[in-house]
Amino acid sequence: MLGNFEYKRIRSIEEGCLCLAEAAGKGAVLAGGTDLLVEIRNGLKSPDILIDCKGLDALNAFHVSQSGSSIGASVPLNRLIEHRGFHTIYPALADALISIGTYQLRNRATLAGNICNASPAADSAPILLVLNAVVDVIGIEGVRAISIRDFFTGVKKTTLKPDEIVTGIRLPERSDLRTAFKKQQRIRGHDLAIINVAGAYSPDEKTLRLAIGSCAPTPVLLDPIEVDSKDADAFASHVIEIVRSSVSPISDVRASASYRSAVLPILVKRILHELLPAGGGA
Ligand SMILES: Cc1cc2nc3c(=O)[nH]c(=O)nc-3n(C[C@H](O)[C@H](O)[C@H](O)COP(=O)(O)OP(=O)(O)OC[C@H]3O[C@@H](n4cnc5c(N)ncnc54)[C@H](O)[C@@H]3O)c2cc1C
């Protein structure tokens, strides 16, 4: 049973923000509904009103290019994944999005919904963190551009105010970056991540950025790591040490804390081998 709530298909963002403000914390934005409707059905959320933005053209638009991209909040994941240039320009983001649920689910689910749901295991979060994405938001007080680094504040919590709507996600120009995404799940096929890791290496700056999901209350972005080692094994140990000290895995239905701790270095090493010349050695 989904319970009782009002459903409103809005005709402007401003109308949506006003509705959310009037609902005083009891409103929710409906995108694909693949998280929200499940949570309502399971009694985890009980909004009085759902605000459906999918009819707004501006939120259904996206633009992908080497010099920076913007992805409207209502764009279903499959539209991105099936765009000709998307996989070429953002291979690791495409890998992360393809790993989300099933094809049918990705016909509904959105990138905005994935981050606004703020699961520590959200598959798009680590790669958006290493790409330094920006979340565009409108509320009754105006417009905000929030760095993805500041977006997640806890399990299922974000910095969004109750009247704010995400309008889109921007990816700054970083054509020099090499990126990779790795996900460990319980089964082949579709499953939430036990751990997900994304990396971005800048050959120009010789720095590596890593972000880890499902090992702390929020996805974790590490400070940039300088890649100047002559010894790949020593560099990997150094990186794994930094990673270990930055996360706090717990046991849950998907895996134990000790399993997560054992798998994490393996995923990190795979990222290093994929991204760095000689795995970070000379
Ligand atoms: C069977 C199944 C498998 C799944 N597998 C995966 C998986 O492998 N990996 C993964 O990461 N996730 C997975 N998910 C979770 C979910 O599909 C994704 O998080 C998806 O991207 C959510 O997008 P949505 O558009 O459906 O969001 P919705 O469910 O519509 O919304 C999610 C949350 O975001 C808020 N929200 C949505 N849009 C906005 C906006 N524009 N402004 C403000 N708030 C907004 C909603 O109010 C809600 O709180 C799975 C879910 C199911 C049911």
Side-chain angles (χ1 to χ4, degrees):
M1 281 288 288
L2 273 179
N4 290 323
F5 49 79
E6 193 184 333
Y7 167 85
K8 188 153 184 90
R9 194 168 168 88
I10 53 166
R11 276 167 298 177
S12 71
I13 285 285
E14 292 70 25
E15 182 189 7
C17 297
L18 278 173
C19 289
L20 288 171
E22 277 167 21
K26 291 289 280 174
V29 177
L30 175 70
T34 62
D35 276 315
L36 183 60
L37 295 179
V38 175
E39 290 190 323
I40 294 175
R41 192 186 57 203
N42 292 343
L44 299 172
K45 280 190 181 162
S46 50
D48 289 341
I49 182 165
L50 297 194
I51 305 297
D52 187 343
C53 308
K54 289 193 289 295
L56 303 180
D57 289 346
L59 273 61
N60 277 303
F62 72 96
H63 161 80
V64 173
S65 102
Q66 288 281 7
S67 56
S69 300
S70 60
I71 299 161
S74 300
V75 174
L77 298 179
N78 275 344
R79 268 186 66 207
L80 285 174
I81 293 164
E82 288 164 10
H83 178 271
R84 230 171 341 134
F86 188 71
H87 198 278
T88 314
I89 300 174
Y90 301 110
L93 179 55
D95 287 349
L97 301 188
I98 291 167
S99 84
I100 294 179
T102 58
Y103 183 84
Q104 290 83 348
L105 181 130
R106 295 190 296 273
N107 273 338
R108 300 293 302 172
T110 61
L111 186 57
N114 194 237
I115 59 164
C116 291
N117 187 54
S119 159
D123 282 315
S124 71
I127 186 71
L128 291 178
L129 281 163
V130 297
L131 289 173
N132 214 6
V134 173
V135 185
D136 287 320
V137 168
I138 297 184
I140 50 171
E141 283 169 12
V143 174
R144 288 205 288 157
I146 307 166
S147 165
I148 189 82
R149 295 167 182 208
D150 303 321
F151 190 74
F152 304 109
T153 54
V155 178
K156 299 265 178 184
K157 292 195 178 104
T158 69
T159 182
L160 288 179
K161 296 177 191 152
D163 59 274
E164 284 183 324
I165 296 175
V166 171
T167 53
I169 292 145
R170 267 182 295 135
L171 301 168
E173 199 268 294
R174 283 312 300 260
S175 48
D176 60 315
L177 291 179
R178 283 189 217 153
T179 56
F181 171 76
K182 302 287 168 209
K183 172 176 177 177
Q184 179 73 17
Q185 51 195 58
R186 289 168 296 186
I187 52 164
R188 284 172 200 263
H190 75 271
D191 194 17
L192 292 174
I194 289 173
I195 300 180
N196 46 27
V197 184
Y201 172 61
S202 163
D204 297 345
E205 294 164 11
K206 297 217 166 0
T207 53
L208 173 72
R209 292 153 62 85
L210 283 177
I212 294 132
S214 210
C215 280
T218 64
V220 173
L221 174 67
L222 274 55
D223 288 336
I225 301 167
E226 218 175 302
V227 183
D228 64 353
S229 175
K230 299 271 176 282
D231 177 339
D233 289 339
F235 182 69
S237 302
H238 167 63
V239 173
I240 287 163
E241 201 51 48
I242 296 173
V243 168
R244 281 197 201 285
S245 64
S246 311
V247 297
S248 47
I250 58 161
S251 299
D252 64 14
V253 287
R254 290 197 295 285
S256 65
S258 57
Y259 182 77
R260 285 193 162 92
S261 299
V263 168
L264 184 54
I266 297 169
L267 298 192
V268 170
K269 278 188 185 168
R270 286 183 190 160
I271 295 256
L272 298 184
H273 279 282
E274 194 168 317
L275 290 183
L276 305 181

